[in-house]
Amino acid sequence: MRKIRLPNSPIEILRYSGLTQFPNVIHFVTTRRGGVSEGNYASLNLGLYTDDQPERLRENFARLAAGLNFPTTGLLLPRQVHGCRIAVIDKTWLSLSDEEKRLRLDGIDALVTDVPEICVAVATADCVPLLLYAPDRQVVAAIHAGWRGTVQRITERTARLMIEHWNCDPNQLWAAIGPSISQQAFEVGEEVIEAFQETGFEMPYLLTRDSVNGKGHIDLWEANRLQLLSAGLAHDRIEEARVCTYASADDFFSARRLGIQSGRFLSGIYIKE
């Protein structure tokens, strides 16, 4: 990943080397820097559904829009619920009322579109954000995969939707696994381990135990990478940030570090007209 400062904006973002090679696609991962929020929301909170002050959120989004030279009206953020529902954003979306659009984004954890100038994005603070791009069909996706969504295989479901609905070639699909909590920091209870076991995950690849207290640690990065491989993606087209949000809480929001009432950073992608 490469960190850059957006023009006409104080905001720092990260970009993936794999996706950057495609000039017709714009993507970004924001950090905590460059906004006006305070406390656990400091400073660039882009969590639309957090309890941050609305005027600060508006200013943060305005700064992002200015830096990307992209209108906030084109940025779609679902109200995520740690599930596995996926919304397809097609051309009929443009004719919907604002209220209908809001309703269709409620309870969604992944967005997929082939409509240019529609930026699909997810907000995270330890959960795994993923971006997908199919260059053969010009389709992009943004995925929010917490441990519950990972157990429900939202990443594999999204990739397969792109393959089946748009006839995307899985061998051409590109994926990026973003900053999120690492296995070392993600200590879990036995109920979480059992949830992964019961849904068929190969635990030797995902589970380690602390040598002192015996507590389990799940590797969400690998769990989502394996889903991409299961959907048919090539190893060398899956880029991993391998940045732990818990360990890097100065740069990224971390709910485990800051508490659930903390900010969120965005991972977004769109196709240029």
Side-chain angles (χ1 to χ4, degrees), residues 191-242:
E191 73 282 358
V192 177
I193 296 171
E194 290 171 5
F196 276 87
Q197 290 173 328
E198 290 170 0
T199 48
F201 282 88
E202 299 182 58
M203 300 312 292
Y205 293 101
L206 307 183
L207 176 66
T208 61
R209 289 191 179 273
D210 189 283
S211 60
V212 176
N213 61 23
K215 292 287 188 178
H217 291 250
I218 293 287
D219 188 343
L220 293 178
W221 300 344
E222 182 65 6
N224 283 281
R225 191 183 75 89
L226 290 173
Q227 290 180 52
L228 293 168
L229 293 174
S230 180
L233 274 73
H235 290 266
D236 59 359
R237 296 197 177 214
I238 302 171
E239 185 172 351
E240 297 182 76
R242 304 201 70 79

Side-chain angles (χ1 to χ4, degrees), residues 15-244:
R15 284 194 165 132
Y16 299 100
S17 58
L19 292 173
T20 301
Q21 67 181 302
F22 300 103
N24 61 318
V25 171
I26 301 295
H27 76 283
F28 60 88
V29 178
T30 64
T31 68
R32 292 185 65 174
R33 306 190 187 281
V36 298
S37 296
E38 298 179 354
N40 280 3
Y41 298 117
S43 67
L44 187 65
N45 174 35
L46 295 165
L48 186 62
Y49 301 99
T50 63
D51 292 329
D52 196 2
Q53 295 183 21
E55 63 272 18
R56 290 176 175 166
L57 278 170
R58 282 194 293 271
E59 175 60 22
N60 289 343
F61 276 101
R63 292 185 177 195
L64 178 63
L68 293 172
N69 193 26
F70 187 84
T72 54
T73 53
L75 176 64
L76 298 187
L77 279 169
R79 190 181 74 81
Q80 302 155 191
V81 294
H82 297 271
C84 63
R85 289 179 60 202
I86 306 163
V88 172
I89 308 301
D90 55 23
K91 290 183 179 179
T92 62
W93 171 272
L94 303 177
S95 63
L96 298 175
S97 68
D98 289 344
E99 177 63 12
E100 183 64 23
K101 289 177 181 176
R102 186 188 67 80
L103 290 173
R104 293 197 183 192
L105 292 176
D106 191 25
I108 298 297
D109 282 273
L111 298 174
V112 189
T113 190
D114 62 351
V115 181
E117 302 298 323
I118 292 292
C119 180
V120 291
V122 290
T124 56
D126 284 339
C127 294
V128 183
L130 297 100
L131 300 177
L132 304 182
Y133 172 53
D136 58 331
R137 298 297 180 186
Q138 294 301 297
V139 182
V140 293
I143 306 167
H144 161 252
W147 77 260
R148 290 180 177 85
T150 299
V151 164
Q152 296 174 75
R153 300 182 184 273
I154 187 171
T155 296
E156 183 173 353
R157 289 171 184 259
T158 305
R160 291 193 182 280
L161 174 63
M162 295 171 71
I163 294 164
E164 294 166 7
H165 185 78
W166 281 278
N167 197 31
C168 300
D169 181 353
N171 291 311
Q172 294 191 47
L173 265 172
W174 286 81
I177 301 173
S180 41
I181 196 165
S182 65
Q183 182 178 31
Q184 181 179 3
F186 190 45
E187 181 180 289
V188 299
E190 293 302 313
E191 73 282 358
V192 177
I193 296 171
E194 290 171 5
F196 276 87
Q197 290 173 328
E198 290 170 0
T199 48
F201 282 88
E202 299 182 58
M203 300 312 292
Y205 293 101
L206 307 183
L207 176 66
T208 61
R209 289 191 179 273
D210 189 283
S211 60
V212 176
N213 61 23
K215 292 287 188 178
H217 291 250
I218 293 287
D219 188 343
L220 293 178
W221 300 344
E222 182 65 6
N224 283 281
R225 191 183 75 89
L226 290 173
Q227 290 180 52
L228 293 168
L229 293 174
S230 180
L233 274 73
H235 290 266
D236 59 359
R237 296 197 177 214
I238 302 171
E239 185 172 351
E240 297 182 76
R242 304 201 70 79
V243 173
C244 176

